[in-house]
Amino acid sequence: GGRDPPRWAIAVAIARAGAVVIHGPRLRAAAPMELDRTLAHELAHLALWRVERELPRWANEGLAQWAAREPIDPSVRNALARLARLGTLPDLSSYATSFPAHGEGAQLVYALAHAFIAWVAETYGEAGLRRWLRLLDEGLPPAVAFERGLGVPLRGAELVFRGRLAAQYNPWRDLASTEGLFIFMALLVLLAFARYRWRRRRLLAAMDAESPPEETGGVRAPPGPLPFRPGRRPEPWPSEPRRSAPPGERGGESLE
């Protein structure tokens, strides 16, 4: 339909020509199971184009992946669940005409479309999906055909799906990833440092509490060395004034 295929694609369906174009080098590098699923995926696109040429892109890709029995990567599914839990999972209607071209964004949207169709099939049965496709073939718009075929509005089904997906979020799976493990280790370091500071403050406070005050006999202890100023000799600490002896005791002699 004029869209560039993803860089990882082994094959791509040319719906108007009723043909599937295969990428030779990628085909040779692919595992047999992956090749079978890819061909089933592209043939599903050809069949869906015959049913409804204006099928939303998310429905087209989701149905093709579901028909090919492609697995959803657990880490990608958990990433979708995390977005649903945070309330930032995009609406399917955002991808009615196009998907992100490449990268993680494309992977997430493909998985989102697949997960929704798989949930519909599990919740309402494959017969419900077939009724939807039959009504599409009769010319009904996709949303109208969905509601008549499955007995629930498309938007209502999507909201229920998002809630079920959010409930499946597993934070421990995120920690198992490389990025999650790095964040977890960084948090452990911060907690260890905070614990060290806390214990050090407690130890210093205990030492201060146990140390007895110095006894100075009522005389104030000198404060320590006077500050030294550059270019000036330090002044000695002033000594106590000498007490002169009584007149009769001078020189160790008595006046008797």
Side-chain angles (χ1 to χ4, degrees), residues 228-247:
F228 174 73
R229 298 180 182 177
R232 184 177 177 182
R233 294 180 62 185
E235 299 178 1
W237 183 261
S239 60
E240 294 185 5
R242 297 180 58 186
R243 182 174 60 86
S244 59

Side-chain angles (χ1 to χ4, degrees), residues 12-49:
V12 60
I14 309 298
R16 295 183 183 278
V20 174
V21 177
I22 298 176
H23 192 285
R26 294 174 191 164
L27 173 65
R28 289 190 291 272
M33 181 65 71
E34 184 179 0
L35 174 60
D36 292 344
R37 288 172 176 160
T38 299
L39 292 178
H41 180 117
E42 301 306 330
L43 291 174
H45 279 313
L46 296 182
L48 289 169
W49 189 80

Side-chain angles (χ1 to χ4, degrees), residues 44 47-53 55-56 59-60 62-64 66-67 117 120 125-142 144-150:
L48 289 169
W49 189 80
R50 293 175 180 272
V51 170
E52 173 55 58
R53 299 184 181 184
L55 193 64
N60 201 322
L63 286 166
W66 176 78
I117 293 298
V120 169
E126 296 185 14
L129 283 181
R130 287 195 293 270
R131 287 194 300 271
W132 181 30
L133 294 174
R134 185 175 67 251
L135 292 170
L136 286 173
D137 193 30
E138 294 175 3
L140 291 178
V144 175
F146 187 96
E147 184 170 0
R148 290 190 183 180
L150 286 83

